[in-house]
Amino acid sequence: MSRDARRTHRVPSGGAVQGGPVTPRKERRDGRLTLRYPRRAGRFALRLGSLVGALGVWQVLTGLDVDLWLRFSQFPTVADVARAFADRLSGPDYWTDLTDSLTRILTGFLLAAVLGVATGVLVARSRLAEDLLGPLLEVVRPIPAIALVPVAILLLPSNEQGIVFITFTAAFFPVLVSTRHAVRALTPVWEEAVRTMGAGRLRVLGSVVLPGALPGVFGGLSVGLGVSWICVISAEMISGQYGVGYRTWQDYTIVNYPGVFVGMVTIGVLGWITSTAVELLGRRLTHWLPRTSYVPGARVPREARGTTVPVRALPRTDKDVPHDQFV
């Protein structure tokens, strides 16, 4: 940037630029109090406080047996669930169920990720594949994965394979649809630029199509993982012998409600950990993308409102261009 351009892009004395990221954490500037968003430690404390507050409200409502419209008197208290959780952790069944559920979800999800991405790219890039596979996929896609339990029981030789099949089906279609839309949304100029340099189909696929579609692919993976957890727990309740879903259903049949909530908490924590892992992997593989620092709900300080950054006017004719800038 030239000296004149730097001179015209100076920030006004208000300390903010119109349209720039403004975050709400209290800070004094020029004798005035502005808001800026808290840093990482403050955000962690805020998130932890929200969980603690929710548990506190749960304990108060269930401890006082509040029955207004919702019947909290039927709920176990937080203390009851904590005691049941401690008892479950001390036994071997909990860890066996945890291992079985994680094995099923990871097997089905990894198969869905590989085949979903490959099929999505194929359908988006080939008219023949779209004509052959498109109608079949669109007919099967609206069917809930849990409704395929009878098909899995009849088709596959064991219940374990049937549960993996249900998990795979649940994650396959979100990944497929997101990949297909992400590939079709790519700018054709990128592919044309690579082809002009002599690149073939495989080079275009590896250097343009797959990297450009990664944000959409990971969006589908995140959605597919959540749906997989829903369906694997449901499949374990129906036809499983071990697993978190199977144990939760068994606790419900014997009216062990604290045990039911232990299963629910376990499912929530496992889903949160796995979805966070997918999100971190997506950020790692798409580190070249620009990151926004926009904070929803942030307000521009009053002294920064109405201020603009002067932009240097572009030359209209060749006479307005300095002689030393001609190529």
Side-chain angles (χ1 to χ4, degrees), residues 13-47:
S13 60
V17 179
Q18 185 178 8
V22 179
T23 54
R25 182 174 62 86
K26 290 185 178 182
E27 186 176 275
R28 289 190 175 274
R29 290 182 180 179
D30 300 333
R32 296 182 179 181
L33 188 64
T34 59
L35 294 177
R36 291 183 63 84
Y37 203 75
R39 297 183 182 273
R40 182 174 299 178
R43 295 184 63 190
F44 177 78
L46 186 62
R47 295 183 180 187

Side-chain angles (χ1 to χ4, degrees), residues 109-121:
F109 178 72
L110 290 177
L111 288 174
V114 174
L115 296 180
V117 172
T119 308
V121 173

Side-chain angles (χ1 to χ4, degrees), residues 139-206:
V139 169
V140 178
R141 185 166 67 93
I143 303 175
I146 197 63
L148 298 176
V149 170
V151 177
I153 293 175
L154 296 175
L155 187 64
L156 299 171
S158 66
N159 290 339
E160 189 70 23
Q161 296 176 0
I163 295 174
V164 173
F165 172 76
I166 296 301
T167 307
F168 160 78
T169 307
F172 174 76
F173 288 103
V175 176
L176 167 67
V177 173
S178 297
T179 304
R180 183 181 62 187
H181 286 298
V183 172
R184 288 178 177 175
L186 293 177
T187 304
V189 178
W190 298 349
E191 182 176 348
E192 294 173 0
V194 176
R195 288 189 180 277
T196 56
M197 294 184 289
R201 292 185 177 180
L202 294 179
R203 183 63 181 274
V204 171
L205 184 65

Side-chain angles (χ1 to χ4, degrees), residues 218 273-286 291:
F218 274 95
I273 292 175
T274 51
S275 62
T276 301
V278 171
E279 183 179 356
L280 292 178
L281 179 61
R283 291 182 180 180
R284 181 79 175 182
L285 295 180
T286 60
R291 303 297 180 187

